[in-house]
Amino acid sequence: MNITFIIAFVAAAAAQIMSMIRLVIGPSVGDRILALDTMVVNAIGLIVLLGIAQGSRIYFEVTLIIAMLGFVSTVAYARFVLRGDIIE
């Protein structure tokens, strides 16, 4: 089981690094927004893996909060890029 966790952590970390690279070199704003959203999903995956590896339930509650904040921030940033303001 330990080898499985190591492989999963390495894969999730590699995905996070690739998202960071896309964030830096993304040619358009849409690519950067998508990279930020992907980084949130990768962070959620890493936290869930950490929770499973340690056998603690608190990490799952943390991932729910991060998922909600990530969704709202992605929508707000996309709306800001499209319209120029968030609150009308």
Side-chain angles (χ1 to χ4, degrees), residues 5 7 10 12-15 17 28 33-34 38 41 43 49 56 73 81-82 85:
F5 282 126
I7 292 171
V10 168
I17 290 169
S28 68
I33 293 172
L34 187 61
T38 306
V41 171
L49 282 171
S56 177
S73 64
V81 168
L82 288 176
D85 61 346

Side-chain angles (χ1 to χ4, degrees), residues 1 8 21 24 26-28 32-33 35-36 38-40 45 49 58 60-61 65 67 71 74 76-77 81 83-84 86:
M1 193 68 147
I21 291 170
V24 172
S28 68
R32 290 188 170 101
I33 293 172
L36 282 172
T38 306
M39 287 174 62
V40 169
L49 282 171
I58 191 72
F60 300 113
E61 295 175 8
I65 293 170
F71 173 73
T74 301
Y77 191 58
V81 168
R83 296 185 184 167
I86 297 172

Side-chain angles (χ1 to χ4, degrees), residues 3-49:
I3 295 172
T4 307
F5 282 126
I6 291 171
I7 292 171
F9 274 117
V10 168
Q16 187 78 347
I17 290 169
M18 286 187 270
S19 295
M20 287 180 193
I21 291 170
R22 174 53 60 190
L23 180 68
V24 172
I25 64 170
S28 68
V29 177
D31 290 332
R32 290 188 170 101
I33 293 172
L34 187 61
L36 282 172
D37 192 42
T38 306
M39 287 174 62
V40 169
V41 171
N42 291 334
I44 289 169
L46 284 169
I47 294 171
V48 166
L49 282 171

